[in-house]
Every structure is written in C-alpha cells, then in structure tokens.
Amino acid sequence: MELKKEETLTSKYLFEGKIIKLRYDEVRLQNGNTSTREVVEHPGGVCIAAVDENGQVLMVRQYRRPFDQMLLEVPAGKLNYGEDPYECGARELEEETGYTTDHMEFLGKVYLSPGFCNEVIHVYMTDHLIPGTLHPDEDEFINVERFSLDELVSMIMSGEIQDAKTQIAILKLKTKLDQQK
C-alpha cells in the first residue's frame, strides 16, 4: 500500500504559552476515515558536544522539573522563532559553559517525539573552545562537568544518561571521531 499524507480538515489552538503551543487538528486518513491529532508546536533547539583541549567533553548538570531530577546533558538551548541554529548553538555554549567557539560542525538534526511534537534539535560538535564567561539565564542553575568520551558512552549504555539529545550528540560525536582515526 502506498502511504499518503493526512489531509487537515480543521485546526484549532487550545493553548499558546511562552514556549509551546498546543494545536488540535481534525484530519482525513488515507482510508477516508477522520481522526484527531494533538500537536505540540515548539521552536526547536540546539545541542553542542564540546570537546576541550584535553579531549574531555563539557557537560552540564541541571534540575529538570518534568522528571523532578538532576540530569547530565550536553549544553543546549531553545531556538527563538526564526533564529539561526548555528548562532543559537554558539550563544548557548557560552551561556552554559563559559566557552565560545569560532567553529562548530553540524552533525544533523533529530525529531525527539514526532508522534505529537514538532520539536527539532540541531546537533553540533566543536573542539575549538575559547575561554569566555559563564552567564546562564536567570532561571538556570548549572554545574559544568567534564568527562572522557568513553565514560559518557558507558554512562549512556548503563542508563545513567537518559536525556535523548545528549545520547544522540555523544554517540554522533564518538562515531565522527572514530571515523577520523
């Protein structure tokens, strides 16, 4: 059977917040039946796997309210609507780690929850770190930590690192560096 896109019959916003919007769509399925879809609209984000001069990867530990726990993550942040992902990545790297960079390499983009959310995360890596000043957003409380790439891969495989964007960024970084050997 050839797969076809769903046709949108009606669309209505149920919620429009500071970061997300919730949309309720009525759609026609490819078999002619109708159904509904709840879609969370999100401006997207950027994450950066940043490697220092000693081969250590910069990570941030911060409290995440939805899971009520401290998570270890790569530096990351939300895009403003229409913002260039590269510029956002450079800004977030400095805000969260105190480092700037003059070069980031794009490793791809990922859809974190495509069943209900249109959030796209743009994944970058850099090993061109320039010391700067740490200045997190006023509602961010972050500890910067450093780990070897092998430690991080082990932490992913053991379940210690559960954040999807971090798992993807670290495994992409490891694959990229292994290919360069």
Side-chain angles (χ1 to χ4, degrees):
M1 170 180 24
E2 178 186 348
L3 295 177
K4 298 178 184 175
K5 288 176 54 173
E6 297 174 351
E7 175 190 355
T8 303
L9 301 173
T10 63
S11 189
K12 177 173 94 172
Y13 284 97
L14 302 177
F15 174 79
E16 295 186 49
K18 184 174 138 185
I19 297 174
I20 63 165
K21 298 176 184 177
L22 175 58
R23 191 180 77 228
Y24 183 82
D25 293 344
E26 183 181 7
V27 299
R28 183 172 321 285
L29 305 173
Q30 67 182 31
N31 65 2
N33 293 338
T34 61
S35 189
T36 59
R37 303 288 186 242
E38 295 172 358
V39 179
V40 174
E41 295 181 1
H42 187 284
V46 174
C47 69
I48 309 97
V51 182
D52 71 12
E53 66 279 358
N54 298 315
Q56 298 286 294
V57 181
L58 301 181
M59 301 291 287
V60 296
R61 190 176 301 274
Q62 61 187 317
Y63 175 75
R64 292 300 196 176
R65 181 72 192 157
F67 295 99
D68 192 27
Q69 59 183 292
M70 303 298 279
L71 295 182
L72 186 64
E73 306 171 43
V74 291
K78 179 185 71 65
L79 281 161
N80 295 315
Y81 283 101
E83 183 178 21
D84 177 77
Y86 186 95
E87 297 300 320
C88 176
R91 180 189 76 239
E92 291 294 337
L93 179 67
E94 183 174 16
E95 283 180 9
E96 294 191 357
T97 69
Y99 285 88
T100 61
T101 185
D102 58 4
H103 176 76
M104 290 189 304
E105 183 176 344
F106 183 65
L107 296 180
K109 62 183 181 179
V110 295
Y111 303 153
L112 297 180
S113 296
F116 71 92
C117 184
N118 71 352
E119 181 180 13
V120 175
I121 300 289
H122 303 266
V123 182
Y124 290 91
M125 67 165 281
T126 184
D127 58 3
H128 296 245
L129 295 177
I130 304 162
T133 305
L134 180 71
H135 51 89
D137 292 336
E138 66 182 33
D139 63 347
E140 285 183 315
F141 302 92
I142 296 172
N143 285 343
V144 178
E145 302 177 21
R146 297 166 195 259
F147 297 86
S148 74
L149 192 50
D150 287 339
E151 284 177 296
L152 292 171
V153 170
S154 291
M155 293 165 78
I156 289 168
M157 297 309 293
S158 73
E160 188 175 343
I161 294 177
Q162 297 173 329
D163 176 62
K165 72 181 176 308
T166 298
Q167 291 180 355
I168 292 164
I170 295 302
L171 296 175
K172 281 181 168 275
L173 174 65
K174 171 100 170 102
T175 301
K176 178 77 173 176
L177 294 179
D178 285 351
Q179 290 172 346
Q180 293 175 352
K181 289 181 182 178

